[in-house]
Each structure stands twice: as C-alpha cells, then as structure tokens.
Amino acid sequence: MTQKDRILYLINYLIKENDELKSLDIPAKDAARKRLLRSLMNIRPPKPAAKEFLKVQDEYLQEEQAEKEIISLADISYGKSGIYLWQGDITRLSVDAIVNAANSAMLGCFVPCHGCIDNAIHSAAGVELRLECSRIMEKQKMEEPVGKAKITGAYNLPCRYVLHTVGPIIYGEVTKKDCSLLSDCYRSCLELAAEYQLKSVAFCCISTGEFHFPNETAARIAIQTVKDYQRKNPSDMEVVFNVFKDYDYEIYRQLLE
C-alpha cells in the first residue's frame, strides 16, 4: 500500500464505523484528507479496532513520522547539568518519555484537529493510546486528580512512553495552591519516570495553554521543581523542557541561564 492507499482505507474504515458519517464526502487533496483522517481519529471513542485497521494505521503513522526529523538528546544544543531546552513539536522527540498535558477525563482531546498538545500526541500515537487510557480510567473509576501522573505506551511516537498529567486550571488570580499543584505535576512525572527506570523525560509547558497558567510563573515552577528533584534524587535521568512558542523559549532560556 502507498500512503494514499492507506489514508483512503483508514478514512473509509472510520466513516463506516459511524452511521452519522455515511454521507461524508472524502476530499481529493492530500492535505484535506490528512485533516479529515485526524478529525475522524480525534472524535473516535475508545473502542477496539480491527487488526487490519491497526496494521494500516501504524504503517501510515510511522511513514508520516519518518518524514519528520526525529530529535534525540544529542541533537539538542542547549543543555547543561542534566537539563535541556528544545523548541519544536514534542511528538518528534526520541526520549524515554514525553509528558502530555491531559484533562481530567484523560482520554485525549475530542475536538477535531484542536491545537492542544493532548490532541497532537494522541493523533501521532494512534487510536490505541486512547484505548489504553480508557482502560486505566475504567479501573480507576474516577477522574484523574490534578497533580498526579499516569504512564502509557507511546505506540507510533518515537519515544517509549507517555506520561499523562493534569495541571491546574486558572480562572482568576494564581493561588499558592495552584502553584503547588503545578509543581506536583512535574514531581509526579519525575517520580513515575524513576519508578520505571527511565533515563530521559521531555516536559511540555503544563497548564499554560488552554488552562491559562501564566507562562513565566509556570516556567519558574517547572525549573525549580526539576532542579529540586534532581538535587534530592541524584541520578542520570535527563530532562528536556520542550517549548513550542518563541515566547516560551525566551522565558526558559533566560531562567535557565
């Protein structure tokens, strides 16, 4: 199968799953088809898929991943004392684990092609990630508490695992409790990574997007929490602060220097 064959197969499979989508037209242009496939994956509930679908999906996503430049720690120029700073798409990082800023349902983002990191990670990983998250939540029988962390496989991502954590949502002024909960997110991820003997973890800017935590305050908390943890728990675990926006890169660069 070519990529064009794969994407048509995947789109048709997902449309046939949902009676409400039977009349959906498939666009002719590649970019529109990619957007449609991602949208269909985003709205798909956590349920098993046919082996053939998973095979084709994995081949498709891995081919898409191969077209990107995969980034390892050796490729990151800014790093010292076990801490790195890198700007770019976190789904390109070949580390032991990347951190996903999840919501309390912890099933990924259901908004088609939404710009949040939760959507990006689930879209690049494939539908198996949502299903694994669903099994965790069914067993837990409650929403994921703020400041805790869960670990899953990474599926079609170049990393080995995904650490999912729910950050605090800011509605007004940032409180001491908000700051403490955000610090808990970073600490919980580091503790879980250590439990699984992971050697490298890449953090996104937890809570600063849809959850409205002020960027500079969040960066200060992130850096201080990581440094405190590294000081109290000496190991060879390395941490990457992954940012996407120029604004965040400048904040982290200045704080780290």
Side-chain angles (χ1 to χ4, degrees):
M1 271 189 175
T2 65
Q3 281 296 80
K4 288 186 178 181
D5 294 332
R6 292 181 184 117
I7 197 169
L8 281 173
Y9 171 87
L10 296 171
I11 288 172
N12 280 308
Y13 179 98
L14 294 171
I15 288 175
K16 288 177 183 177
E17 272 193 328
N18 191 333
D19 289 337
E20 295 179 1
L21 302 175
K22 293 290 176 64
S23 61
L24 190 66
D25 291 327
I26 300 176
K29 293 185 177 180
D30 289 344
R33 286 181 176 179
K34 287 183 178 183
R35 186 172 179 84
L36 175 58
L37 175 59
R38 179 167 174 171
S39 298
L40 292 171
M41 291 172 65
N42 291 159
I43 66 173
R44 186 180 189 270
K47 60 181 181 181
K51 288 183 179 179
E52 181 62 20
F53 172 85
L54 295 178
K55 177 179 178 292
V56 175
Q57 175 211 242
D58 292 350
E59 290 172 349
Y60 173 80
L61 291 176
Q62 287 166 25
E63 182 70 22
E64 290 289 294
Q65 191 69 252
E67 293 180 5
K68 303 176 184 178
E69 182 186 1
I70 304 304
I71 304 297
S72 67
L73 290 179
D75 299 316
I76 301 175
S77 58
Y78 190 103
K80 52 186 177 182
S81 303
I83 294 178
Y84 297 78
L85 174 62
W86 184 73
Q87 182 178 14
D89 178 359
I90 199 169
T91 67
R92 293 167 56 198
L93 284 174
S94 177
V95 291
D96 279 353
I98 62 172
V99 174
N100 177 32
N103 57 51
S104 57
M106 220 187 71
L107 296 178
C109 174
F110 283 84
V111 180
C113 295
H114 192 251
C116 68
I117 196 165
D118 198 11
N119 190 296
I121 288 173
H122 275 264
S123 297
V127 300
E128 300 103 316
L129 180 55
R130 177 168 285 168
L131 185 57
E132 183 177 355
C133 287
S134 177
R135 290 194 291 263
I136 291 172
M137 297 308 286
E138 286 177 7
K139 186 176 180 180
Q140 184 165 289
K141 300 186 185 303
M142 59 179 285
E143 290 189 335
E144 179 69 2
V146 175
K148 303 298 183 182
K150 294 290 189 296
I151 188 169
T152 66
Y155 299 96
N156 293 292
L157 292 162
C159 56
R160 294 172 58 205
Y161 298 97
V162 180
L163 303 174
H164 306 261
T165 188
V166 181
I169 302 174
I170 305 302
Y171 296 103
E173 293 293 322
V174 177
T175 66
K176 287 184 178 180
K177 183 178 181 181
D178 293 326
C179 294
S180 177
L181 287 170
L182 184 59
S183 181
D184 287 344
C185 290
Y186 286 90
R187 192 178 304 105
S188 294
C189 288
L190 291 168
E191 290 171 350
L192 190 54
E195 182 181 336
Y196 278 76
Q197 299 181 325
L198 307 187
K199 301 301 182 184
S200 54
V201 177
F203 283 101
C204 62
C205 300
I206 301 167
S207 277
T208 59
E210 297 295 313
F211 287 9
H212 308 298
F213 209 108
N215 298 59
E216 185 167 348
T217 304
R220 289 183 183 277
I221 292 169
I223 292 170
Q224 191 61 54
T225 304
V226 168
K227 286 186 173 180
D228 287 346
Y229 179 87
Q230 289 179 332
R231 186 175 64 253
K232 295 174 183 176
N233 303 274
S235 72
D236 55 356
M237 186 194 299
E238 298 180 290
V239 170
V240 179
F241 288 115
N242 166 247
V243 299
F244 194 73
K245 299 177 181 177
D246 293 342
Y247 176 66
D248 286 314
Y249 184 85
E250 287 305 313
I251 289 174
Y252 272 89
R253 185 182 61 80
Q254 291 176 20
L255 292 175
L256 288 169
E257 288 179 352

